[in-house]
């Protein structure tokens, strides 16, 4: 499910990076604030555990085996914000050291697996108060949601997938999602026997549970509706949606950013070079300007947050 | 193991190894963007030039060329699968574009990882204002990756030597192994944390050495960026 570089179109990876970078910055702050410092080594070591656990093969029916993916398990034990941080670290290490997943596509991968996947996994666990069904549903949903986003991003990038291949990959993802659910239930069960206090208590869930529940329920409802819509319209319908969403995404991405930031550059380039090459130029500069804008916004936000936090500090103490 | 090989490569002392990691990360990103922004196959020589650029860097960094080229091929199975689909759909240009772009991008990231050790990469990312908390988690993760993977391998060996030559463990054994590994990792994290507290840990990992910018880094940044942009503009 790790998307390498070269697959996503500039619009898609730039948008996903623009979504993922502030989200990771925010979650990092939240994980840092809401947890005591003992969680820092804990998070790192649990990330290493996910790597190591992938060496253990679980038999899943007729001769095939599967391994733990772990996003849901982490959210049950560390909480969603910390789990998202750990998954982000795993994906970054995989992209940098193991060449598993691309660097420009890291934003997309982080969004699919570390943000959407982890929160989709935590919701059923929270709603069903840590029952077995909640654990199973959470782990299954976490993988399905990640796969759904990955397939959508590939489709939006114009990577061709004939209906049969799409169906096969959906079937494969469903099988591995169910396997992940079964493995997670079994591991959590074994964990309860060994050390029951490692699991996050759902009764003492944080105060914002209610608001979080509403947001997550809304998000998953929207997701399910989109999925049903995509599934119910025929393959040519998928093309149509792709075109529509891509057009909307482009207008969203390019109108506020590139009109302000890259237009002087673009004008310069157009007057400077022959007209046929201006197409990719605007693309490249829109991508660059987008990343630069996100970078600036993050810098300003972090500066502001730091300022407001230091202003609030006397109250906190 | 793959990461051991990358670590050995990254411990070199060539001109490229000595450059500031933030510059290398930024240049790698610029190069990746220039690769990703080519949307048509009208310009095969752009990819030839890009490949030549990477190969020149690999040679200049005194890295073994063939192992790096082979190592980056790990991305090919996935790329070839989608390329086959594109070929079946009659879109040969798109198929070759997909393979070439995915391979060159993977090679670029591998070159980055092979010229900067993980701790330097983290310092570079911190220079680019990535959240320090996240970077600390990544450093911990990388440090304990080898320890826990070794532990998992030992557990697997022990289980195999008792249960005969089963290819996969039984489900109950496997879940037990995973749960024990989890509990052990947790206990180890607590012990590590206590040891760190007793040595004055204040919530963030200390920075041992901070790479410093020098004139050569700034020259390298400008020349590298100029070459990448020139190649891209000429395409």
């Amino acid at each position: 499910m790790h998307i390498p570089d070269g697959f996503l179109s500039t619009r898609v990876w730039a948008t996903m990076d623009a979504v993922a970078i502030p989200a990771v910055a925010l979650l990092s702050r939240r994980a840092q604030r809401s947890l005591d410092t003992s969680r820092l080594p804990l998070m790192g070591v649990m990330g290493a555990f996910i790597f190591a656990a992938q060496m253990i093969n679980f038999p899943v029916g007729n001769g095939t085996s599967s391994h733990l993916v772990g996003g849901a398990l982490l959210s049950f034990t560390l909480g969603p914000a910390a789990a998202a941080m750990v998954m982000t670290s795993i994906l970054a290490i995989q992209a940098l050291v193991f060449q598993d997943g691309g660097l420009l596509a890291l934003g997309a991968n982080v969004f699919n697996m570390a943000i959407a996947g982890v929160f989709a996994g935590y919701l059923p666990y929270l709603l069903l108060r840590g029952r077995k069904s909640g654990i199973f549903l959470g782990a299954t949903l976490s993988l399905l949601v990640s796969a759904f986003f990955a397939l959508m991003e590939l489709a939006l990038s114009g990577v061709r997938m004939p209906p049969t291949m799409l169906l096969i990959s959906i079937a494969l993802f469903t099988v591995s999602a169910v396997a992940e659910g079964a493995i997670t239930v079994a591991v959590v069960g074994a964990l309860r026997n060994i050390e029951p206090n490692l699991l996050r208590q759902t009764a003492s869930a944080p105060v914002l549970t209610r608001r979080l529940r509403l947001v997550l329920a809304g998000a998953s409802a929207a997701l399910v509706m989109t999925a049903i819509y995509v599934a119910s319209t025929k393959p040519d319908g998928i093309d149509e949606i792709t075109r529509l969403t891509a057009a909307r995404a482009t207008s969203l991405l390019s109108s506020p950013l590139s009109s302000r930031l890259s237009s002087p550059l673009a004008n310069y380039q157009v007057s400077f070079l022959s007209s046929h090459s201006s197409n990719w130029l605007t693309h490249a500069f829109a991508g660059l300007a987008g990343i630069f804008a996100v970078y600036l916004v993050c810098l300003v936000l972090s500066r502001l947050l730091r300022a407001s936090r230091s202003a609030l500090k006397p109250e906190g103490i | 193991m793959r990461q051991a090989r990358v670590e050995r490569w990254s411990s070199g002392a060539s001109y490229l190894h000595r450059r500031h990691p933030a510059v290398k990360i930024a240049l790698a990103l610029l190069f990746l963007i220039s690769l990703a922004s080519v949307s048509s196959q009208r310009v095969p020589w752009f990819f030839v030039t890009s490949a030549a650029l990477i190969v020149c860097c690999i040679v200049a960094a005194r890295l073994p060329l063939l192992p790096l080229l082979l190592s980056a091929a790990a991305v090919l199975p996935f790329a070839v699968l989608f390329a086959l689909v594109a070929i079946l759909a009659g879109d040969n240009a798109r198929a070759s574009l997909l393979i070439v772009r995915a391979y060159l991008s993977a090679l670029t990231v591998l070159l980055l990882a092979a010229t900067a050790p993980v701790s330097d990469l983290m310092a570079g990312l911190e220079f680019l204002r990535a959240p320090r908390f996240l970077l600390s988690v990544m450093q911990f993760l990388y440090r304990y990756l080898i320890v826990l993977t070794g532990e998992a391998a030992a557990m697997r060996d022990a289980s195999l030597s008792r249960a005969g030559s089963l290819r996969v463990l039984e489900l109950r054994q496997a879940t037990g192994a995973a749960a024990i590994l989890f509990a052990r990792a947790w206990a180890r994290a607590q012990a590590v944390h206590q040891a760190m507290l007793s040595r004055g840990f204040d919530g963030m990992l200390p920075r041992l050495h901070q790479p410093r910018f020098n004139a050569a880094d700034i020259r390298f940044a400008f020349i590298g960026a100029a070459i990448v942009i020139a190649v891209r503009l000429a395409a």
Side-chain angles (χ1 to χ4, degrees), chain B:
Chain B
M1 235 183 116
R2 188 183 180 84
Q3 130 273 338
R5 224 168 14 148
V6 175
E7 210 163 276
R8 200 175 58 241
W9 288 333
S10 67
S11 62
S14 72
Y15 174 80
L16 274 177
H17 283 92
R18 279 180 278 121
R19 295 287 66 79
H20 194 283
V23 173
K24 281 185 279 194
I25 294 170
L27 277 182
L29 280 177
L30 186 70
F31 191 69
L32 286 176
I33 290 173
S34 94
L35 283 176
S37 62
V38 180
S39 48
S40 77
Q41 216 350 3
R42 278 179 308 181
V43 279
W45 74 264
F46 164 73
F47 288 109
V48 175
T49 320
S50 299
L53 265 181
I54 306 181
V55 169
C56 284
C57 287
I58 294 174
V59 173
R62 293 193 214 106
L63 292 167
L65 185 59
L66 199 61
L68 252 85
L69 293 180
L70 287 178
S71 197
V75 74
L76 283 183
F78 193 66
V80 166
L81 177 71
F82 280 93
L84 277 181
V85 174
I87 288 174
L88 287 180
D91 199 350
N92 286 348
R94 185 171 189 97
S96 46
L97 181 70
L98 209 58
I99 291 182
V100 169
R101 221 157 61 171
Y103 181 72
L104 287 183
S105 302
L107 195 59
T108 308
V109 180
L110 184 61
L111 176 65
L112 173 66
T115 52
V118 169
S119 57
D120 276 10
L121 283 180
M122 299 296 139
L125 286 172
E126 191 182 342
F127 188 86
L128 298 170
R129 297 289 180 277
R132 222 178 131 199
F133 186 66
L134 177 68
L135 295 178
S136 301
V137 173
M138 279 169 71
Q139 256 167 317
F140 259 106
L141 197 163
Y142 189 70
R143 165 72 183 80
Y144 282 93
L145 189 70
I146 305 142
V147 177
L148 286 188
T149 312
E151 198 153 322
M155 282 169 75
R156 193 181 52 187
D157 290 349
S159 173
L160 284 180
S161 62
R162 283 170 201 146
S165 57
L166 281 177
R167 284 251 315 287
V168 284
L169 306 177
E170 290 296 317
L171 183 65
R172 185 183 281 257
Q173 278 180 325
T175 53
I180 288 173
L181 193 63
F182 190 102
R184 278 189 194 166
W186 196 287
R188 190 188 285 267
Q190 303 295 347
V192 167
H193 179 237
Q194 277 167 11
M196 285 169 61
L197 280 183
S198 69
R199 286 166 196 150
F201 175 57
D202 63 345
M204 286 291 176
L205 285 183
R207 284 170 274 202
L208 283 183
H209 78 106
Q210 193 73 348
R212 298 197 73 87
F213 261 110
N214 55 31
D217 289 323
I218 295 167
R219 262 201 310 276
F220 176 65
F222 275 103
I223 294 172
I227 291 175
V228 172
I229 290 172
V231 168
R232 185 63 191 83
L233 285 178

Side-chain angles (χ1 to χ4, degrees), chain A:
Chain A
M1 227 187 299
H2 294 60
I3 304 173
D5 277 333
F7 278 74
L8 299 179
S9 63
T10 305
R11 283 167 204 155
V12 174
W13 64 252
T15 315
M16 296 317 287
D17 284 347
V19 172
I21 293 170
V24 166
L26 213 77
L27 284 170
S28 161
R29 230 153 250 286
R30 163 148 292 174
Q32 193 178 356
R33 195 151 24 109
S34 64
L35 304 168
D36 49 343
T37 46
S38 73
R39 295 294 174 125
L40 175 58
L42 188 62
M43 285 165 66
V45 176
M46 292 333 283
F49 158 78
I50 295 293
F51 265 93
Q54 296 183 349
M55 295 181 66
I56 300 172
N57 284 314
F58 295 84
V60 190
N62 49 347
T64 53
S65 68
S66 172
H67 66 72
L68 188 71
V69 177
L73 179 62
L74 284 181
S75 78
F76 303 158
T77 46
L78 296 172
M85 275 304 91
V86 175
M87 289 305 281
T88 305
S89 313
I90 292 175
L91 291 170
I93 292 280
Q94 278 175 332
L96 280 172
V97 184
F98 295 86
Q99 279 78 51
D100 198 0
L103 206 57
L104 291 179
L106 188 59
N109 287 328
V110 162
F111 179 81
N112 299 345
M113 285 183 263
I115 299 174
V118 163
F119 278 89
Y122 191 60
L123 178 73
Y125 182 74
L126 204 66
L127 289 182
L128 292 170
R129 304 217 164 269
R131 284 194 212 103
K132 244 183 194 164
S133 54
I135 295 167
F136 180 79
L137 264 182
T140 310
L141 202 64
S142 133
L143 230 67
L144 278 182
V145 165
S146 308
F148 171 77
F149 276 115
L151 287 176
M152 276 300 274
E153 284 152 15
L154 286 175
L156 281 175
S157 302
V159 173
R160 255 174 221 282
M161 266 189 279
T164 42
M165 189 186 172
L166 197 66
L167 282 180
I168 291 173
S169 53
I170 288 176
L172 283 177
F173 278 135
T174 313
V175 169
S176 53
V178 171
E180 170 82 0
I183 294 171
T184 309
V185 168
V187 171
V188 169
L191 209 55
R192 275 208 177 115
N193 289 339
I194 301 172
E195 246 180 286
N197 57 341
L198 292 193
L199 287 163
R200 199 174 165 82
Q201 297 303 312
T202 44
S204 65
V207 193
L208 80 165
T209 302
R210 208 190 158 84
R211 211 175 46 184
L212 197 73
R213 239 186 247 186
L214 275 177
V215 169
L216 287 178
S220 53
L223 204 68
V224 168
M225 272 157 63
T226 330
I228 290 173
Y229 183 47
V230 171
S232 64
T233 49
K234 295 282 185 288
D236 46 352
I238 294 182
D239 270 356
E240 194 53 40
I241 294 170
T242 308
R243 221 168 298 131
L244 271 176
T245 341
R248 192 162 302 161
T250 337
S251 62
L252 263 180
L253 184 72
S254 59
S255 60
L257 289 181
S258 53
S259 65
R260 289 213 188 113
L261 278 166
S262 73
S263 63
L265 291 172
N267 286 339
Y268 168 71
Q269 292 299 348
V270 169
S271 60
F272 185 62
L273 285 155
S274 58
S275 59
H276 86 274
S277 59
S278 66
N279 191 23
W280 68 259
L281 264 181
T282 43
H283 275 228
F285 274 104
L288 272 177
I291 287 186
F292 189 63
V294 170
Y295 184 76
L296 278 184
V297 168
C298 292
L299 270 187
V300 171
L301 269 182
S302 69
R303 192 70 38 93
L304 284 178
L305 272 172
R306 200 173 300 157
S308 68
R309 211 166 43 146
S310 57
L312 282 176
K313 217 164 197 173
E315 275 180 16
I317 298 165

